[in-house]
Amino acid sequence: MAIFRKIHTQFWSDVFIQSLTPEQKFFFLYLLTNEKTKQCGIYEITLRQISYDTGYNVETVQKLLDFFIDCGKVRFSADSCEIAIKNWNKYNSSRSPDVQSLVNKEFKLVKNKELIEWVHSV
């Protein structure tokens, strides 16, 4: 299966996205598209990796991550180094049975099961 992440053009007209600074937009787009992302919306990554990829120091990464956590868009489990993106399916959904099967397999590999509940909660 090809590994890519599509970003709908509607992403840019989302009211929340429009309220962000350029730095915050870049960071959120990174969280949605980096090579560690999974189809289920929960993936394992370290702050050090994010720092390396984005060019931000670890303190700036933590500050940006805290912003999105406070906004209710992201959860981060420090114990398992897993990030969960709220509304992941809003811009990455697929009705394909193959994709749905992959999502179910990925959920089984999530270490912090609370993140699965959070991703699915309204």
Side-chain angles (χ1 to χ4, degrees):
M1 182 177 293
I3 299 177
F4 68 92
R5 300 289 171 245
K6 61 183 177 182
I7 298 296
H8 289 268
T9 56
Q10 296 166 330
F11 173 85
W12 299 107
S13 60
D14 184 285
V15 173
F16 175 74
I17 299 300
Q18 289 179 347
S19 73
L20 301 176
T21 66
E23 181 179 57
Q24 292 165 337
K25 288 177 187 176
F26 166 71
F27 189 78
F28 195 62
L29 197 54
Y30 168 80
L31 293 179
L32 294 173
T33 62
N34 73 77
E35 69 178 18
K36 300 285 188 177
T37 61
K38 300 287 183 195
Q39 194 64 44
C40 70
I42 302 169
Y43 58 92
E44 192 173 335
I45 194 167
T46 64
L47 298 183
R48 186 173 174 190
Q49 181 67 53
I50 297 170
S51 174
Y52 177 79
D53 290 346
T54 62
Y56 293 134
N57 62 43
V58 174
E59 293 79 19
T60 299
V61 167
Q62 186 65 63
K63 181 183 118 201
L64 287 163
L65 197 55
D66 288 343
F67 170 80
F68 287 104
I69 290 169
D70 292 344
C71 290
K73 300 294 183 182
V74 170
R75 283 255 172 112
F76 181 71
S77 170
D79 294 335
S80 64
C81 291
E82 291 173 305
I83 286 184
I85 310 291
K86 190 69 163 183
N87 296 328
W88 173 263
N89 285 334
K90 185 174 182 179
Y91 297 111
N92 291 287
S93 65
S94 175
R95 297 196 192 286
S96 161
D98 290 339
V99 172
Q100 290 305 313
S101 175
L102 175 62
V103 167
N104 292 333
K105 286 179 189 175
E106 289 176 351
F107 278 148
K108 290 177 184 174
L109 299 175
V110 172
K111 296 174 187 172
N112 184 334
K113 302 300 183 193
E114 291 175 9
L115 295 177
I116 297 171
E117 280 184 43
W118 182 79
V119 164
H120 286 299
S121 66
V122 179

